[in-house]
């Protein structure tokens, strides 16, 4: 049995709180033993244990991020990142990479400063929202970090105060975590005083739609990386060195996680932004790591940061539709990239570090404002909706509605938004990164590797994975193939593995990639002209790699094709971003060179409307009333329907199937009241059986009769059922029954060609039936893929029923319903003896069957044909 959501949330709370207690216990023991001759816990062991606890806290935070709990998620993921970064620093200290008290101070202080401020802000918001436990934990860890900073600068200060704060966190967390765990284990029978979760006031409608709690963690990671360079600029630390890399790469890893979870929250713009910033974090850490092997600071080529600033600026323009504050915040990263391009030593020079100091301040303000607006019923003004209001006044631009229907995939079902914007942007970054010329001193003296490997490789693999989860097989193949190629080529050519020699062994691998890309190019012929240009220009880049491998590269060819590929990728990036934001106009991506019937979802030919809207159901009802055929959801799979009072539509739906004569249609009603005009023509036992069994996933096969004339079928009645019988059903689906209430009884057949698999998603309806369907009512994936139960009621007058198919509704329950109805008619004591011996799970004494299976065979052979034509 699935646990209730409240209990699962309680478990995640307990796991997170107990994890914080465990980490605090480690640090308080380490703090109290710090004054001894040697540390009680070795640095390496302490670092590994902190990493384990950090992973546990990250798990609890990520699981709760799927619900709306911004303070919980912020506290747990922030402390997780704190202990992950500090754990890595302690490991480096234990291994001798960070040497002495001064080295440990310069390594730890930048991160501790950032988390002190972040936890202080989270604690303040927690107090305002009366989250006592979370706010106390935030303040205590904040004070612990502040005391640790003081102890690193003045050894006489000691670490006792730090340990005292962690003792408070340990005791508080142990009490509340244990209390919540006991409540979960005992099913609320045992609960320690004061450990209940207080229900908060509901948020406004606008806040309910904005549930991307994970962005607070992304802002904290921006605060962390900016702190490293701001501390260097202000003289808080003496130098930038490899001991600070753990903070930068921790920020990068967590921001990739923020990117993925933002796609999970259907927030494409935030996902793209944090994907961009994660690239910067890894590049910053890479440059500090290079100082271990290179005596001089690396050189930063101009093209890449210049292009990166353009991408940030374009993204800033579009993200203003969320809020004006978000757009202004991104402009600081535009300035940061321009500062990198303007100064040859990039991150190591004062101008760049000055912009990082500004980002530190602005990120802290954004954390405060964003967290408050997510957690509180009243909001701090951020210009939300301002740009939308301005755009709505213009007739030239029509904003697209940002809801889950925007992210509905072409086939199948996905919980993630589209990642093509990030995928194409990463291609732009990787292409312009490799335009830099490698000098005689080697590729490590110029910063190219992180741009090619992280942007072109890792993030394109992420985009490919998201595309695959959305059912975009071709797009995911392209992104994954190109991502692997950028990783391999980046490490080989710009990681110092290639050297000055050239050989055919590298060329063989490149030729394999070229052949794979040829298959991608053929596939893009069926997709769009933009995608074909994208694949074709990447083939030209692969040719340049091949020519370089055999030492036959013409002068300027590689730079020319990479610029062309970068421009094509930029157009794809801009087109996807623009078209996902505006309904009209649209940037053209070109029709496919070769069109397949049904490809593209049919949105331009027949309406695809969401089932959750009453206006959509009414629109489908109008189509059916006017003689159309539509695909609709049911309690099992999608079906093709037509109104019974439109004989022409019934005939059209019948002929939509190949070999239609072998697949007769069935009749569906919304309630038994629709059969009232024909009640006097229906056996009373059958009537009561229908009334007791419906609505449900039970189809009843009954004898044809004059009662069928009540539905206005006229000559089209021959398409429903067989000459002897008809399958009739009252589905257990609110949307379906409401539609039938509006239209009247409907004729039903399966929404797939004869012999093919059932249709389990609304996007498959048009793909399978093409122009034979006039509208689709969209409700996502089918709730069940198991067949309905088909009951033979042709012998019900003699007191017997049979089964043509046992599906989702159990056979034993059908018999129990029928026996209750029989007892009602006969005054009790009379069982259905026809199929008692046919039920393996029953333990009743066998009785002589009045109607054996052989008597049903003549009817079954005809009726099972029509059941194959209805929904499974």
């Amino acid at each position: 049995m699935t646990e209730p959501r409240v209990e699962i949330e309680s478990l995640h709370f307990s796991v997170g709180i107990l994890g914080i207690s465990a980490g605090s216990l480690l640090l308080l023991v380490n703090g109290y033993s710090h004054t001894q001759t040697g540390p009680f816990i070795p640095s390496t062991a302490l670092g590994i244990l902190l990493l384990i606890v950090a992973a546990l806290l990250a798990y609890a935070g990520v699981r709760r991020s799927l619900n709306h709990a911004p303070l919980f998620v912020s506290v747990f993921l922030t402390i997780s990142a704190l202990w992950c970064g500090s754990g890595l620093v302690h490991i480096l200290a234990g291994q001798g990479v960070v040497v002495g008290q001064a080295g440990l101070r310069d390594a730890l202080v930048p991160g501790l400063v950032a988390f002190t401020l972040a936890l202080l802000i989270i604690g303040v918001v927690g107090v305002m929202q009366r989250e006592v436990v979370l706010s106390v934990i935030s303040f205590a860890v904040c004070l612990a970090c502040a005391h640790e900073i003081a102890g690193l600068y003045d050894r006489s200060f000691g670490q006792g105060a730090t340990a005292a704060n962690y003792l408070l966190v340990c005791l508080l967390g142990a009490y509340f975590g244990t209390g919540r765990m006991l409540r979960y284990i005992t099913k609320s029978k045992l609960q320690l005083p004061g450990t209940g979760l207080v229900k908060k006031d509901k948020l406004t409608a606008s806040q309910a739609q904005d549930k991307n709690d994970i962005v607070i963690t992304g802002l904290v990671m921006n605060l962390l990386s900016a702190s490293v360079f701001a501390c260097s600029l202000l003289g808080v630390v003496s130098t930038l060195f490899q001991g600070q890399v753990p903070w930068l790469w921790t920020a990068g890893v967590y921001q990739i996680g923020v990117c993925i979870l933002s796609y999970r929250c259907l927030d494409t713009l935030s996902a793209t932004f944090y994907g961009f910033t994660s690239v910067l974090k890894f590049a910053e850490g890479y440059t500090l790591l290079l100082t271990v092997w290179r005596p001089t600071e690396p050189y930063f080529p101009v093209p890449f940061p210049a292009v990166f600033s353009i991408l940030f600026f374009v993204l800033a323009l579009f993200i203003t539709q969320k809020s004006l504050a978000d757009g202004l915040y991104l402009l600081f990263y535009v300035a940061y990239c321009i500062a990198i391009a303007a100064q040859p030593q990039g991150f190591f020079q004062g101008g760049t570090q000055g912009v990082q100091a500004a980002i530190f301040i602005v990120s802290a303000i954004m954390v405060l404002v964003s967290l408050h607006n997510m957690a509180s019923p009243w909001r701090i003004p951020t210009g939300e909706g301002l740009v939308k209001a301005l755009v709505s006044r213009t007739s030239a631009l029509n904003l697209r509605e940002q809801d889950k229907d925007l992210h509905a995939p072409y086939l199948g079902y996905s919980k993630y938004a589209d990642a093509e914007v990030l995928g194409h942007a990463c291609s732009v970054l990787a292409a312009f990164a490799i335009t830099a010329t490698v000098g005689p001193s080697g590729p490590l003296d110029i910063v190219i590797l992180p741009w090619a490997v992280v942007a072109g490789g890792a993030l394109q693999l992420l985009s490919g994975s998201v595309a695959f989860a959305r059912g975009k097989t071709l797009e995911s193949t392209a992104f994954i193939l190109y991502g692997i190629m950028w990783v391999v080529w980046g490490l080989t050519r710009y990681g110092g593995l290639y050297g000055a020699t050239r050989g055919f062994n590298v060329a063989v691998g490149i030729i394999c990639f070229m052949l794979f890309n040829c298959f991608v190019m053929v596939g893009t012929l069926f997709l769009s002209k933009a995608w074909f240009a994208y694949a074709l220009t990447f083939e030209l880049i692969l040719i340049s790699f091949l020519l370089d491998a055999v030492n036959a590269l013409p002068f300027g060819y590689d730079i020319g094709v990479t610029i062309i590929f970068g421009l094509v990728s930029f157009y794809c990036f801009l087109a996807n971003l623009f078209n996902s934001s505006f309904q009209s106009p649209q940037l053209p991506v070109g029709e496919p060179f070769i069109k397949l019937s049904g490809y593209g979802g049919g949105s331009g030919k027949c309406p695809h409307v969401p089932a959750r809207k009453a206006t959509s159901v009414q629109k489908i009802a109008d189509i059916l009333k006017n003689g159309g055929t539509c695909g609709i959801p049911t309690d099992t799979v999608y079906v093709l329907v037509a109104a019974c009072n439109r004989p022409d539509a019934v005939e059209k739906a019948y002929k939509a199937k190949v070999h239609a004569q072998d697949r007769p249609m069935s009749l569906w009603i919304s309630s038994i009241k629709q059969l009232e005009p024909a009640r006097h023509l229906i056996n009373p036992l059958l009537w009561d059986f229908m009334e007791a069994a419906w609505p449900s996933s039970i189809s009843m096969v009954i004898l044809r009769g004059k009662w069928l004339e009540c539905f206005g079928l006229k000559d089209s009645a021959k398409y429903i059922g067989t000459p002897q019988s008809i399958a009739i059903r009252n589905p257990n689906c609110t949307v379906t029954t409401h539609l039938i209430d509006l239209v009247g009884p409907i004729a039903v057949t399966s929404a797939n060609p004869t012999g093919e698999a059932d249709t389990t998603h609304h996007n498959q309806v048009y793909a399978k039936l093409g122009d034979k369907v006039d509208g689709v009512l969209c409700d996502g994936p089918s709730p069940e893929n198991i067949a309905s139960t088909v009951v033979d009621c042709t012998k019900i007058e003699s007191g017997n029923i049979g089964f043509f198919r046992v599906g989702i509704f159990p056979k034993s329950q059908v018999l129990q319903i029928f026996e209750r109805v029989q007892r009602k008619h006969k005054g009790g004591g009379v069982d259905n003896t026809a199929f008692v011996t046919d039920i393996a799970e029953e333990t009743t004494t066998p009785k002589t069957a009045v109607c054996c299976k052989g008597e049903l065979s003549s009817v079954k052979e005809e009726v099972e044909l029509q059941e194959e034509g209805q929904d499974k």
Side-chain angles (χ1 to χ4, degrees), residues 43-44 46-48 50-51 82-92:
S43 295
T44 303
L46 177 63
I48 293 173
L50 284 176
L51 289 178
L82 166 64
W83 288 348
C84 178
S86 60
L88 291 172
V89 172
H90 282 294
I91 291 175
L92 294 179

Side-chain angles (χ1 to χ4, degrees), residues 531-757:
W531 260 99
F532 178 76
Y534 179 68
L536 177 62
T537 50
F538 189 78
E539 186 76 6
L540 298 178
I541 287 184
L542 292 175
I543 293 174
S544 72
F545 293 166
L546 177 62
L547 294 175
D548 182 67
V550 297
N551 205 19
L553 181 65
F555 178 76
Y557 174 81
D558 54 341
I559 296 179
V561 295
T562 50
I563 291 176
I564 293 173
F565 176 72
L567 293 175
V568 171
S569 300
F570 180 78
Y571 181 81
C572 293
F573 158 77
L574 187 61
N576 278 277
L577 193 57
F578 188 90
N579 295 342
S580 64
S581 300
F582 295 98
Q583 186 73 37
S584 63
Q586 296 268 291
L587 290 182
V589 293
E591 294 291 326
F593 289 98
I594 304 173
K595 294 184 179 180
L596 295 178
S597 176
Y599 186 82
S603 57
K605 296 184 178 180
C606 77
H608 286 58
V609 293
R612 59 186 175 85
K613 294 183 179 180
T615 54
S616 302
V617 180
Q618 183 63 56
K619 187 172 184 178
I620 295 296
D622 292 339
I623 294 174
L624 293 174
K625 290 177 182 179
N626 292 326
T629 60
C630 296
I632 66 169
T634 69
D635 48 350
T636 52
V637 295
Y638 281 79
V639 295
L640 181 67
V641 303
C644 288
N645 56 12
R646 292 303 302 258
D648 54 333
V650 175
E651 182 178 2
K652 178 183 176 182
Y654 174 78
K655 293 182 178 179
K657 306 289 289 290
V658 181
H659 304 300
Q661 65 276 10
D662 298 330
R663 299 292 184 269
M665 306 175 74
S666 59
L667 179 69
W668 284 19
I669 58 176
S670 62
S671 72
I672 198 169
K673 292 180 180 180
Q674 291 185 330
L675 294 176
E676 281 288 347
R679 181 170 184 174
H680 64 286
L681 301 174
I682 299 175
N683 182 278
L685 180 61
L686 175 60
W687 182 272
D688 288 345
F689 183 43
M690 290 177 175
E691 202 168 34
W694 287 341
S696 65
S697 300
I698 298 177
S699 297
M700 296 189 186
V701 179
I702 64 177
L703 295 174
R704 296 181 73 97
K706 293 184 178 180
W707 61 270
L708 195 59
E709 299 174 1
C710 300
F711 302 118
L713 285 163
K714 299 181 181 179
D715 293 339
S716 64
K718 63 185 177 182
Y719 300 123
I720 299 181
T722 67
Q724 291 77 28
S725 60
I726 291 176
I728 186 170
R729 184 178 167 198
N730 177 192
N732 188 22
C733 178
T734 303
V735 173
T736 309
T737 54
H738 178 53
L739 179 64
I740 300 174
D741 282 335
L742 297 174
V743 177
I746 56 176
V748 178
T749 186
S750 57
N752 55 273
T754 304
E756 290 193 9

Side-chain angles (χ1 to χ4, degrees), residues 173-292:
Y175 178 77
F176 277 90
T178 303
R180 298 306 303 173
M181 186 68 75
L182 285 174
R183 184 182 186 278
Y184 175 77
I185 294 173
T186 62
K187 306 296 184 183
S188 302
K189 296 179 181 178
L190 180 61
Q191 181 172 320
L192 297 180
T195 59
L197 294 180
V198 180
K199 292 184 178 179
K200 298 295 180 181
D201 296 333
K202 291 185 177 180
L203 300 178
T204 62
S206 61
Q207 288 173 310
Q209 294 177 358
D210 186 16
K211 291 186 178 181
N212 191 5
D213 303 337
I214 201 72
V215 297
I216 304 300
T217 304
L219 292 170
V220 172
M221 295 305 104
N222 286 339
L223 187 73
L224 172 60
S225 63
S227 175
V228 173
F229 295 97
C231 286
S232 175
L233 177 69
L234 300 175
V236 177
V237 296
S238 59
T239 183
L240 292 173
F241 73 119
Q242 67 270 22
Q244 295 144 356
V245 173
W247 297 118
L248 297 172
W249 283 4
T250 294
V253 170
Y254 275 71
Q255 284 198 329
I256 287 181
V258 171
C259 175
I260 296 171
L261 291 172
S262 294
Y263 282 123
R264 179 67 176 80
C265 296
L266 305 181
D267 189 353
T268 303
L269 295 174
S270 294
T272 305
F273 170 62
Y274 290 111
F276 284 176
T277 54
S278 68
V279 175
L280 291 174
K281 307 300 183 289
F282 284 109
E284 291 162 357
Y286 170 78
T287 55
L288 296 188
L289 201 60
L290 275 181
T291 58
V292 178

Side-chain angles (χ1 to χ4, degrees), residues 19-83:
I20 290 179
S21 299
S24 301
L25 180 62
L26 281 172
L27 292 171
L28 77 88
V29 171
N30 184 68
Y32 278 129
S33 64
H34 194 76
T35 57
Q36 300 176 4
T37 55
F40 182 75
I41 304 176
S43 295
T44 303
L46 177 63
I48 293 173
L49 291 173
L50 284 176
L51 289 178
I52 295 173
V53 175
L56 185 64
L57 293 180
Y59 166 78
V62 168
R63 290 301 303 266
R64 281 305 300 272
S65 69
L66 302 179
N67 305 307
H68 190 56
L71 279 170
F72 182 98
V73 173
S74 301
V75 169
F76 281 61
L77 291 181
T78 300
I79 296 178
S80 172
L82 166 64
W83 288 348

